[in-house]
Amino acid sequence: MTEQALTFRRYEDGDDQWSDWQDKIFKGDTSYKCPTYVHRTAPCQGSCPSGHDIRGWLAIARGQDKHADPNKPWQEYAFERMTAANPFPAVMGRVCPAPCEDGCNRNEVDDRVGINAVEMYVGDWALENNIAFPKPEKETGKKIAVIGGGPAGLSAAFHLRRKGHAVTIFDDHEELGGMMRYGIPGFRTPRDVLDGEIKRILDMGIATRMKTKVGRDISMEQLEKEFDTVFWGLGAQGGRDLPIPGWDASNCISGVAFLAAFNEGRLQHVTGKVLVIGGGDTSVDVATVARRLGHIQTTKIDHVEDAIFGRAAMDVADVSARQGCDVTLTSLFPREKMFASDREVEDALREGVTLKTGVMPVEVLKNAEGRAIGLKMCECDMDGMKPIPREGTEFEIEAELIVAAIGQYGTFDGIEKLDNGKGFIDADGAYRVKNEKQHFAGGDILRPHLLTTAIGHGRVAAATIEQNFANPDVPKRPKVDVHHFNLLDELRRHELSPEEFQHKPVHGSDTSKFSVHNYEDRSRDSIIPHGDLFKGHFKYHGRNLRGEVHIGADEVIGNFDERIVSLTEQEAIDEGKRCMSCGLCFECDNCVIYCPQTAVYRIKKSERATGRYVDTDYDKCIGCHICHDVCPTGYIQMGLGE
């Protein structure tokens, strides 16, 4: 990795004003403020819908946080920290669009930390080394039904089982996975990876009832009699229609139906000209799958939609007999504002997909038989989420199959009482179903969003269910609702727990053994901004990029190989070292080195733990603020001293 000039500078060329440090230091001792060690949530973690302790497992990757057992591989320790929030590191390391990386403070220095890449590396390592989840030490006797085996349901089942509850998953498919299996193609989520991570969850002792649809095979009333609590992770299996004339044509279908038919093996090829309406990741998946399938000249079924809707079985065609189909993807928004990730759009273009942006559908064009033969469109401008057509810009696109990937909704046959009238379930901030105290919900059935969002819903709902067993008046969730670093747990792990308080009056606590001195935890309410970091500490260090297998338009037909290449162990460690540990000490020694009074000192090695590396002698501290100014992570804040 070549070193380059720093991208962050406290002073720029031409600046002629600077802080009067001498005056600040000499007046500092009148401020009565000394270093206070304040833990706040890192923005990567605050941006992660599943609530990963990202800073924590990156600290493990770089070797700062070591397990008490020196023989435990760092990858296994990092895996344990990851899966405390999210049991799918290998899957999510591949498909998550990584909002954590957008929030990364390292963007203010050079480039974000490759969080997704490290997650994928650790997740793959855990699968290759058959790392299992421990079974609960004791059973609580509580029985919980989880409806839907997608990301939300599996996440809830995982977290509830860890607490010792008996969990049964109901799913109307042959296999678990939900949108991870039936909504995302295998070249993005390899099925052996998905199967491995699901099996690890089930091996904890979770029961399943497959091909069982609640409302048809078992009633809601039966569930309530058999189980103490029900979690609804139904997903949004219905695709929204385009609200334009002519959409009732049989060869106008939803992106959800298209991908489900492909992933279930019913769809083996498509027609010659495919038009995809959308602009998000689902629409890109449809377009890239269609390019891979191609079309064949001879088939035993009349229409592709017969295979999609299960009315006929499609024979597997020999790859050599396939021809590349003509796929066009359209979006209301211009390219730079499309919801799909840039990498996915670039791959689609490379693979031969034609992209038309800033256009809106107007009317489906039909032939005499009532089948769609094309789509009338026009250019448009966006007023928020509302397209405004430009007069006189109409044009037509030929198509033999039109796929709309513009939104989803849930289906409620037999469980209509849960429907809020819009195809979703209403739930409060703790994911309790409205007016149903023993029912909880999460995932796309609340609001279609990212897989990582659904996983986060399952985690929080599981925590709420656990609290609900003890107290039906569930307390309000924290403002920053993620899996937090806990200093007391860290001290306990190193056998450094504080002594029991004797409940006697004391003057000060700085020399006591019953308190955690000089520390404040604001992580549940505060995310640390980059302005609180001393970014000048960090040298330019370019990101380690994962390799990608790029295939062109001529090679795409029949190619369902994975496109992402994992990091090496050394590259994963290197990315861990790039983490700036925002909001928590990473043991750089700046405060110790620069303190003019030697008031800041390292804690004895035998008493150290993450977050407890340095302390302050208040008798020596003059409140000069230098330790605060040179703290790269923003962990040191100035507070009242003695």
Side-chain angles (χ1 to χ4, degrees), residues 47 69 107 127 142 153 165 418 501 552:
S47 303
D69 179 0
N107 284 306
L127 287 172
K142 297 292 185 182
H165 307 309
L418 295 174
F501 179 48

Side-chain angles (χ1 to χ4, degrees), residues 65-280:
D65 185 359
K66 294 182 173 63
H67 196 270
D69 179 0
N71 295 317
K72 174 170 281 195
W74 73 264
Q75 296 96 329
E76 184 176 356
Y77 185 25
F79 172 78
E80 291 172 355
R81 188 69 61 87
M82 284 180 182
T83 54
N86 181 349
F88 296 103
V91 170
M92 298 310 298
R94 287 168 163 82
V95 301
C96 182
C100 55
E101 294 182 4
D102 292 336
C104 178
N105 278 337
R106 183 100 199 184
N107 284 306
E108 297 293 326
V109 175
D110 41 38
D111 191 9
R112 63 187 181 272
V113 176
I115 298 167
N116 239 187
V118 180
E119 182 180 18
M120 174 180 169
Y121 166 78
V122 172
D124 285 354
W125 184 94
L127 287 172
E128 291 164 5
N129 288 272
N130 300 312
I131 304 301
F133 291 133
K135 293 184 179 180
E137 296 180 359
K138 61 180 181 178
E139 302 291 333
T140 65
K142 297 292 185 182
K143 298 171 63 179
I144 301 165
V146 172
I147 316 305
L154 286 166
S155 173
F158 163 72
H159 289 287
L160 289 165
R161 184 61 188 145
R162 293 181 75 182
K163 296 294 184 180
H165 307 309
V167 180
T168 301
I169 300 175
F170 293 79
D171 196 285
D172 60 349
H173 294 85
E174 291 187 1
E175 297 182 89
L176 296 173
M179 289 299 288
M180 292 184 293
R181 182 181 303 279
Y182 297 108
I184 298 178
F187 55 85
R188 292 189 62 207
T189 54
R191 295 309 185 238
D192 59 335
V193 171
L194 178 60
D195 291 341
E197 296 205 311
I198 291 175
K199 181 179 183 298
R200 187 162 50 205
I201 295 173
L202 297 182
D203 286 348
M204 298 170 69
I206 294 172
T208 61
R209 295 191 194 177
M210 304 306 297
K211 302 181 76 172
T212 303
K213 185 175 179 61
V214 177
R216 180 192 66 197
D217 303 310
I218 184 172
S219 69
M220 192 169 169
E221 291 71 26
Q222 287 175 290
L223 286 178
E224 291 173 336
K225 288 180 181 179
E226 187 175 344
F227 296 92
D228 298 295
T229 295
V230 182
F231 174 83
W232 299 90
L234 298 171
Q237 306 298 330
R240 297 207 175 275
D241 295 340
L242 272 177
I244 59 174
W247 187 254
D248 57 349
S250 63
N251 53 335
C252 292
I253 65 171
S254 72
V256 174
F258 180 97
L259 290 171
F262 164 69
N263 286 313
E264 290 172 6
R266 289 182 278 115
L267 182 62
Q268 302 290 343
H269 62 81
V270 294
T271 52
K273 293 184 178 180
V274 180
L275 181 57
V276 186
I277 314 299

Side-chain angles (χ1 to χ4, degrees), residues 31-36 517-518 520 618 637-642:
S31 72
Y32 301 104
K33 287 186 176 182
C34 292
T36 299
H517 173 59
N518 203 16
E520 183 179 351
Y618 279 174
Q637 299 294 305
M638 302 306 291
L640 293 179
E642 286 186 299

